[in-house]
Amino acid sequence: MEERDTTEHKRRYDIFRHHAWAGTAFLSVLLALRYIIPVFPYYLFIHLCTLLILYIVVSLLYTFRYRHGLSAEPVPRANPEEFSRAELEARVAKELVKAKKKRAKAEAKVRKKAL
């Protein structure tokens, strides 16, 4: 399996793991509502529980499918050559904007002290 596939599997694994946990939380809230609100319609409760259980099972199956992504290491981009020209220009522009804001703030402080 290529490194790219492994990182994609890790991303998908994380997404489906999140959905499995979310489904479990929704199911527990639904069960709590059933016991807190005794007039909660039974037919609605059964349908919602069934849907949530199916949602959880499907999410768990996909986490099992993409479990190979757990061994994926994040790919660091330490070399400046790896950045595209547009990305570098965007970073430089952002730094220039920050510097202008700092300069304007410093000038405002100087003017305020002069008054």
mmCIF file of all heavy atoms in Angstrom, residues 34 40-50:
data_model
loop_
_atom_site.group_PDB
_atom_site.id
_atom_site.type_symbol
_atom_site.label_atom_id
_atom_site.label_comp_id
_atom_site.label_asym_id
_atom_site.label_seq_id
_atom_site.Cartn_x
_atom_site.Cartn_y
_atom_site.Cartn_z
ATOM 1 N N ARG A 34 -36.324 8.174 26.506
ATOM 2 C CA ARG A 34 -37.403 7.180 26.642
ATOM 3 C C ARG A 34 -37.766 6.978 28.108
ATOM 4 O O ARG A 34 -38.932 6.816 28.446
ATOM 5 C CB ARG A 34 -36.950 5.862 26.013
ATOM 6 C CG ARG A 34 -37.900 4.724 26.185
ATOM 7 C CD ARG A 34 -39.147 4.925 25.349
ATOM 8 N NE ARG A 34 -40.017 3.778 25.522
ATOM 9 C CZ ARG A 34 -41.327 3.864 25.610
ATOM 10 N NH1 ARG A 34 -41.901 5.025 25.496
ATOM 11 N NH2 ARG A 34 -42.054 2.795 25.764
ATOM 12 N N PHE A 40 -43.231 9.170 25.433
ATOM 13 C CA PHE A 40 -42.518 9.138 24.146
ATOM 14 C C PHE A 40 -43.101 7.995 23.318
ATOM 15 O O PHE A 40 -43.173 6.858 23.788
ATOM 16 C CB PHE A 40 -41.023 8.899 24.408
ATOM 17 C CG PHE A 40 -40.132 9.221 23.247
ATOM 18 C CD1 PHE A 40 -39.846 10.539 22.920
ATOM 19 C CD2 PHE A 40 -39.587 8.219 22.484
ATOM 20 C CE1 PHE A 40 -39.012 10.837 21.870
ATOM 21 C CE2 PHE A 40 -38.757 8.505 21.430
ATOM 22 C CZ PHE A 40 -38.470 9.820 21.115
ATOM 23 N N PRO A 41 -43.557 8.276 22.099
ATOM 24 C CA PRO A 41 -44.233 7.238 21.294
ATOM 25 C C PRO A 41 -43.329 6.019 21.051
ATOM 26 O O PRO A 41 -42.194 6.145 20.602
ATOM 27 C CB PRO A 41 -44.537 7.931 19.974
ATOM 28 C CG PRO A 41 -44.407 9.386 20.241
ATOM 29 C CD PRO A 41 -43.493 9.545 21.399
ATOM 30 N N TYR A 42 -43.889 4.850 21.349
ATOM 31 C CA TYR A 42 -43.113 3.618 21.262
ATOM 32 C C TYR A 42 -42.690 3.306 19.825
ATOM 33 O O TYR A 42 -41.560 2.905 19.580
ATOM 34 C CB TYR A 42 -43.945 2.464 21.842
ATOM 35 C CG TYR A 42 -43.176 1.183 21.938
ATOM 36 C CD1 TYR A 42 -42.174 1.040 22.877
ATOM 37 C CD2 TYR A 42 -43.440 0.118 21.086
ATOM 38 C CE1 TYR A 42 -41.447 -0.126 22.985
ATOM 39 C CE2 TYR A 42 -42.721 -1.060 21.172
ATOM 40 C CZ TYR A 42 -41.732 -1.175 22.125
ATOM 41 O OH TYR A 42 -41.010 -2.322 22.216
ATOM 42 N N TYR A 43 -43.587 3.486 18.869
ATOM 43 C CA TYR A 43 -43.262 3.171 17.468
ATOM 44 C C TYR A 43 -42.142 4.080 16.952
ATOM 45 O O TYR A 43 -41.271 3.647 16.211
ATOM 46 C CB TYR A 43 -44.501 3.274 16.580
ATOM 47 C CG TYR A 43 -45.109 4.656 16.515
ATOM 48 C CD1 TYR A 43 -44.686 5.575 15.572
ATOM 49 C CD2 TYR A 43 -46.106 5.048 17.401
ATOM 50 C CE1 TYR A 43 -45.230 6.848 15.513
ATOM 51 C CE2 TYR A 43 -46.650 6.312 17.355
ATOM 52 C CZ TYR A 43 -46.212 7.206 16.411
ATOM 53 O OH TYR A 43 -46.742 8.462 16.353
ATOM 54 N N LEU A 44 -42.134 5.333 17.376
ATOM 55 C CA LEU A 44 -41.071 6.257 16.976
ATOM 56 C C LEU A 44 -39.750 5.852 17.631
ATOM 57 O O LEU A 44 -38.697 5.872 16.989
ATOM 58 C CB LEU A 44 -41.447 7.693 17.370
ATOM 59 C CG LEU A 44 -40.470 8.792 16.993
ATOM 60 C CD1 LEU A 44 -40.349 8.876 15.472
ATOM 61 C CD2 LEU A 44 -40.922 10.117 17.557
ATOM 62 N N PHE A 45 -39.841 5.444 18.878
ATOM 63 C CA PHE A 45 -38.654 5.014 19.611
ATOM 64 C C PHE A 45 -38.010 3.800 18.948
ATOM 65 O O PHE A 45 -36.789 3.762 18.752
ATOM 66 C CB PHE A 45 -39.058 4.688 21.054
ATOM 67 C CG PHE A 45 -37.971 4.064 21.860
ATOM 68 C CD1 PHE A 45 -36.905 4.819 22.308
ATOM 69 C CD2 PHE A 45 -38.013 2.710 22.167
ATOM 70 C CE1 PHE A 45 -35.893 4.241 23.052
ATOM 71 C CE2 PHE A 45 -37.005 2.126 22.900
ATOM 72 C CZ PHE A 45 -35.949 2.893 23.353
ATOM 73 N N ILE A 46 -38.791 2.821 18.571
ATOM 74 C CA ILE A 46 -38.262 1.606 17.947
ATOM 75 C C ILE A 46 -37.603 1.932 16.612
ATOM 76 O O ILE A 46 -36.503 1.447 16.313
ATOM 77 C CB ILE A 46 -39.386 0.561 17.758
ATOM 78 C CG1 ILE A 46 -39.874 0.057 19.111
ATOM 79 C CG2 ILE A 46 -38.909 -0.611 16.897
ATOM 80 C CD1 ILE A 46 -38.812 -0.658 19.921
ATOM 81 N N HIS A 47 -38.234 2.757 15.802
ATOM 82 C CA HIS A 47 -37.676 3.111 14.495
ATOM 83 C C HIS A 47 -36.366 3.900 14.640
ATOM 84 O O HIS A 47 -35.389 3.638 13.923
ATOM 85 C CB HIS A 47 -38.675 3.913 13.660
ATOM 86 C CG HIS A 47 -39.833 3.096 13.189
ATOM 87 N ND1 HIS A 47 -39.694 2.029 12.343
ATOM 88 C CD2 HIS A 47 -41.158 3.194 13.451
ATOM 89 C CE1 HIS A 47 -40.878 1.496 12.098
ATOM 90 N NE2 HIS A 47 -41.797 2.190 12.763
ATOM 91 N N LEU A 48 -36.353 4.862 15.548
ATOM 92 C CA LEU A 48 -35.137 5.652 15.754
ATOM 93 C C LEU A 48 -33.995 4.790 16.299
ATOM 94 O O LEU A 48 -32.847 4.931 15.868
ATOM 95 C CB LEU A 48 -35.418 6.826 16.691
ATOM 96 C CG LEU A 48 -36.235 7.974 16.097
ATOM 97 C CD1 LEU A 48 -36.538 9.017 17.162
ATOM 98 C CD2 LEU A 48 -35.511 8.599 14.936
ATOM 99 N N CYS A 49 -34.307 3.904 17.228
ATOM 100 C CA CYS A 49 -33.275 3.015 17.762
ATOM 101 C C CYS A 49 -32.712 2.117 16.669
ATOM 102 O O CYS A 49 -31.503 1.922 16.578
ATOM 103 C CB CYS A 49 -33.840 2.150 18.882
ATOM 104 S SG CYS A 49 -33.832 2.962 20.471
ATOM 105 N N THR A 50 -33.575 1.581 15.840
ATOM 106 C CA THR A 50 -33.128 0.717 14.748
ATOM 107 C C THR A 50 -32.229 1.475 13.787
ATOM 108 O O THR A 50 -31.169 0.976 13.386
ATOM 109 C CB THR A 50 -34.345 0.140 13.992
ATOM 110 O OG1 THR A 50 -35.210 -0.509 14.929
ATOM 111 C CG2 THR A 50 -33.901 -0.843 12.925
#
